[in-house]
């Protein structure tokens, strides 16, 4: 078996019990299975350039290779082109794009820096798997430096339709760079279809089945929905976490139900809309007051980007307003926490919650939806309420699917979830767990690797 070398903007700390972000969790699960190298930014910013050699640290079967960025890289590449241009655009939020030409220079420069660092650790028989929107030009940078290994790319976030892509400065260059990979993976068929439209209509290439012919090369473009390690997550949920168990017992005695939301505090996650829908639930169904609470845990993320500062303020004001309006001396309707929770506590909280409320306005996949399902017991499962704009909705069809822009729809669906009879909950749970087991973390890794190493790809029924 060839050595697998993974590259992503950030490398997760695999020795820590708390991880936030689908990439960190998905790639972590995959690498723990197969072993290999994981190269990326160490999260540090320096005043001066350092030599390209990464710092090496071994954790079990994984070698982590990390590099710092300069303050200028951080501002132009990370905060700038990656998170103020590509992130909002790829999530269909043209209104939030904040572009300066320095950002594109920084994006190109840092992709070159990643290529230089990677060349210092690469071996001739390695296969390279690059992740996410920060590193779209990396294959092209590597080829320019003479790299001949097979290189794959997986996009964790949505790929927008051509009309939206057209708003990305130098979008033709960006998509041409994407085509320098040997395999390009997307979360959903919708994303794949958007790439097909772009390459056929804007670039004039033909996509036959899942192959795009470019001169004498062929690129595979496919749909590889990311999965989780279902058994490991279920086990964590079963083992429980002492504090969560005590809290669950208290709620049981009081006869109260819990709705849970867990996300990075990102404007794509639809958090204000979620809170408004919960407020609407309490308005439309007064009999539920004092019997249900919403727990929202939100991890800090990209706090130096203005749009994230705004969304945090909005969320805090909204949760305060709902509590001010409905709370009683012995009942707090919204429990809002700004922080990151260890995975075992998260799994136990999912299991202890009657509804998983996952309502992004746009999301590549959304692993929280899969984790919520994995955490349930079939004896008394909770109900997943899922936005139709999450990539996961292409697969998880037995969830209650909602429109996150429609508070009344969400409020009524929440009421339906909270009152659903056991038989129906079990039927839905069985179907959902079968789906996430079929396309789990191992399936994701193996299917992508088959395309990358063996040039084999059969479209999955996503
Ligand atoms: P994204 O990649 O956009 O952050 P996903 O839902 O795909 O969204 O992945 C988020 C991952 O991060 C999940 O594994 C989830 O459990 C974890 N996570 C999100 N928020 C928190 C939090 N507040 N505490 C702990 N883990 C979190
Ligand atoms: O795909 C989701 C993602 O953008 C990952 O690329 C990233 O690791 C994660 O969210 C967290 O974002 P950040 O690294 O900017 O904190």
């Amino acid at each position: 078996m060839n050595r697998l070398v993974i590259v992503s903007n950030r490398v997760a700390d695999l020795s820590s019990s708390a991880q936030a972000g689908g990439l960190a969790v998905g790639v972590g699960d995959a690498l723990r299975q197969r072993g290999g190298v994981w190269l990326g930014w160490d999260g540090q910013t320096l005043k001066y350039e350092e030599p390209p050699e990464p710092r090496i640290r071994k954790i079990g079967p994984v070698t982590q290779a990390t590099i710092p960025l300069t303050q200028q890289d951080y501002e132009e590449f990370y905060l700038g082109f990656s998170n103020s241009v590509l992130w909002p655009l790829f999530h269909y939020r043209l209104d939030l794009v904040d572009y300066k030409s320095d950002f594109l220079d920084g994006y190109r420069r840092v992709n070159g820096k990643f290529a230089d660092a990677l060349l210092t650790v690469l071996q001739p028989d390695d296969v390279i798997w690059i992740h996410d929107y920060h590193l779209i030009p990396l294959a092209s940078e590597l080829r320019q430096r003479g790299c001949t290994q097979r290189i794959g790319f997986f996009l964790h976030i949505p790929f927008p339709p051509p009309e939206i892509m057209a708003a990305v400065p130098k979008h033709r260059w960006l998509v041409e760079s994407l085509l320098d990979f040997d395999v390009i993976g997307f979360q959903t068929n919708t994303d794949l279809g958007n790439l097909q439209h772009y390459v056929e209509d804007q670039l004039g290439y033909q996509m036959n089945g899942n192959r795009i012919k470019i001169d004498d090369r062929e690129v595979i473009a496919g749909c590889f929905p990311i999965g989780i390690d279902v058994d490991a997550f279920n086990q964590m949920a079963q083992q429980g976490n002492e504090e969560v168990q005590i809290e669950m017992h208290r709620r049981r005695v009081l006869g109260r139900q819990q709705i849970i939301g867990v996300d990075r505090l990102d404007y794509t996650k639809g958090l204000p809309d979620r809170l408004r829908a919960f407020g609407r639930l309490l308005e439309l169904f007064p009999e539920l007051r004092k019997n249900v609470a919403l727990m929202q845990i939100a991890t800090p993320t990209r706090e130096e980007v203005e749009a994230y500062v705004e969304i945090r303020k909005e969320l805090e004001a909204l949760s305060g307003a709902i509590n001010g309006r409905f709370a009683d001396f012995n009942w707090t309707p919204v429990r809002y926490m700004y922080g990151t929770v260890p995975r075992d506590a998260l799994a136990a909280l999912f299991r202890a919650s009657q509804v998983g409320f996952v309502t992004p306005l746009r999301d590549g996949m959304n692993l929280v939806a899969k984790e919520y399902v994995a955490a349930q017991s079939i004896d008394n499962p909770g109900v997943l309420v899922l936005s139709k704009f999450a990539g996961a909705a292409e697969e998880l069809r037995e969830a209650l699917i909602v429109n996150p822009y429609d508070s009344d729809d969400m409020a009524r669906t929440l009421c339906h979830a909270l009152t659903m009879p056991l038989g129906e909950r079990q039927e839905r749970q069985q179907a959902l767990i079968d789906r996430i087991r079929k396309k789990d973390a191992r399936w994701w890794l193996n299917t992508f690797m088959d395309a990358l190493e063996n040039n084999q790809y059969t479209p999955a029924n996503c």
Side-chain angles (χ1 to χ4, degrees):
M1 195 165 48
N2 304 79
R3 188 175 73 151
L4 172 60
V5 177
I6 285 193
V7 189
S8 61
N9 171 52
R10 222 190 262 281
V11 171
D13 180 358
L14 292 176
S15 56
S16 158
S17 64
Q19 303 287 350
L23 188 155
V25 170
V27 171
D29 280 354
L31 262 183
R32 267 188 279 266
Q33 282 169 44
R34 169 157 171 159
V37 177
W38 189 354
L39 183 137
W41 175 39
D42 60 9
Q44 306 286 321
T45 47
L46 303 178
K47 282 212 177 88
Y48 305 102
E49 292 290 348
E50 286 226 322
E53 285 78 19
R55 223 166 54 116
I56 304 292
R57 181 178 171 213
K58 210 154 162 52
I59 301 176
V62 182
T63 302
Q64 294 196 332
T66 52
I67 53 168
L69 294 180
T70 64
Q71 183 62 27
Q72 187 188 0
D73 294 341
Y74 176 69
E75 284 166 17
E76 295 173 356
F77 158 80
Y78 175 75
L79 296 177
F81 201 72
S82 298
N83 287 316
S84 299
V85 180
L86 294 181
W87 178 270
L89 266 165
F90 279 34
H91 287 87
Y92 300 56
R93 290 298 301 269
L94 285 89
D95 57 316
L96 294 178
V97 173
D98 177 14
Y99 175 68
K100 296 184 183 63
S101 58
D102 291 350
F103 292 174
L104 187 58
D105 298 339
Y107 186 69
R108 288 176 152 152
R109 182 180 66 246
V110 174
N111 271 272
K113 193 176 266 192
F114 269 77
D116 291 335
L118 189 56
L119 286 181
T120 69
V121 297
L122 269 188
Q123 295 169 6
D125 293 333
D126 287 342
V127 278
I128 307 168
W129 190 8
I130 290 162
H131 291 257
D132 237 358
Y133 57 101
H134 317 83
L135 301 176
I136 294 173
L138 186 49
S140 153
E141 294 288 345
L142 286 165
R143 294 290 181 232
Q144 284 166 35
R145 288 164 175 74
C147 169
T148 54
Q149 288 88 340
R150 298 263 297 166
I151 316 177
F153 178 79
F154 185 78
L155 184 67
H156 289 253
I157 67 174
F159 190 85
E163 307 79 61
I164 291 189
M165 187 57 94
V168 177
K170 303 270 185 268
H171 54 94
R172 268 184 86 93
W173 162 80
L174 193 74
V175 184
E176 292 272 15
S177 310
L178 185 60
L179 297 176
D180 281 333
F181 287 95
D182 297 299
V183 179
I184 309 167
F186 297 98
Q187 298 274 28
T188 66
N189 279 314
T190 307
D191 302 323
L192 180 59
N194 288 338
L195 174 82
Q196 178 167 8
H197 287 143
Y198 190 99
V199 297
E200 292 187 347
D201 301 347
Q202 308 287 320
L203 303 180
Y205 299 123
Q206 274 314 302
M207 192 158 146
N208 293 316
N210 287 83
R211 289 172 194 263
I212 307 167
K213 192 147 176 36
I214 299 161
D215 306 326
D216 54 351
R217 307 188 300 126
E218 227 178 34
V219 179
I220 294 180
C223 170
F224 304 83
I226 192 168
I228 61 167
D229 185 339
V230 178
D231 291 329
F233 204 80
N234 184 270
Q235 228 160 33
M236 269 193 291
Q238 273 188 52
Q239 277 159 1
N241 165 291
E242 205 179 335
E243 282 178 75
V244 177
Q245 303 275 9
I246 295 168
E247 166 57 16
M248 199 169 87
H249 181 68
R250 194 182 71 88
R251 270 196 301 112
R252 215 180 290 124
V253 170
L254 293 167
R256 283 184 186 156
Q257 293 185 294
Q258 180 163 278
I259 300 169
I260 193 158
V262 174
D263 312 74
R264 283 183 306 103
L265 209 173
D266 198 295
Y267 52 80
T268 59
K269 302 291 180 183
L271 298 175
D273 312 73
R274 187 179 306 172
L275 255 66
R276 276 191 284 271
F278 180 67
R280 194 76 183 118
L281 174 81
L282 301 178
E283 256 169 24
L284 290 176
F285 305 96
E287 67 279 14
L288 290 177
R289 291 179 198 171
K290 295 183 91 166
N291 291 327
V292 63
L294 169 68
M295 178 181 280
Q296 177 61 55
I297 309 177
T299 297
T301 184
R302 305 173 198 162
E303 289 169 292
E304 285 168 75
V305 177
E306 185 53 29
Y308 289 78
V309 177
E310 293 303 317
I311 195 83
R312 181 177 173 195
K313 281 192 207 146
E314 191 181 354
L315 200 60
E316 290 182 355
L318 258 171
S319 64
I322 296 174
N323 282 340
R325 178 167 170 205
F326 294 103
D328 209 333
F329 66 91
N330 63 356
W331 170 60
T332 310
V334 178
R335 297 167 84 186
Y336 165 68
M337 280 178 263
Y338 183 60
T340 308
V341 172
R343 287 185 73 66
D344 65 333
L346 206 61
L349 279 169
F350 284 150
R351 194 178 180 93
S353 303
Q354 286 64 44
V355 178
F357 199 19
V358 181
T359 58
L361 304 177
R362 187 70 58 180
D363 212 336
M365 173 55 61
N366 197 293
L367 287 186
V368 169
K370 295 188 174 182
E371 289 168 354
Y372 180 76
V373 171
Q376 302 308 304
S377 80
I378 193 69
D379 297 341
N380 188 18
V383 179
L384 175 66
V385 175
L386 179 62
S387 159
K388 63 178 172 182
F389 300 119
E394 253 190 30
E395 283 176 87
L396 303 183
R397 292 194 282 272
E398 291 76 15
L400 297 182
I401 304 292
V402 290
N403 176 359
Y405 293 95
D406 182 345
S407 316
D408 281 17
D409 173 39
M410 288 204 280
R412 292 209 176 82
T413 308
L414 280 178
C415 182
H416 176 192
L418 290 164
T419 53
M420 188 181 282
L422 177 63
E424 183 180 348
R425 281 190 278 132
Q426 286 175 320
E427 261 176 48
R428 288 178 186 270
Q429 170 64 18
Q430 191 56 57
L432 290 170
I433 196 97
D434 289 348
R435 288 188 189 280
I436 63 168
R437 258 187 213 296
K438 213 165 144 198
K439 298 213 180 81
D440 62 0
R442 190 172 292 270
W443 175 90
W444 181 63
L445 171 70
N446 291 343
T447 323
F448 195 92
M449 281 299 126
D450 209 24
L452 188 56
E453 291 182 297
N454 310 322
N455 201 16
Q456 299 286 334
Y457 175 74
T458 318
N461 193 9
C462 298

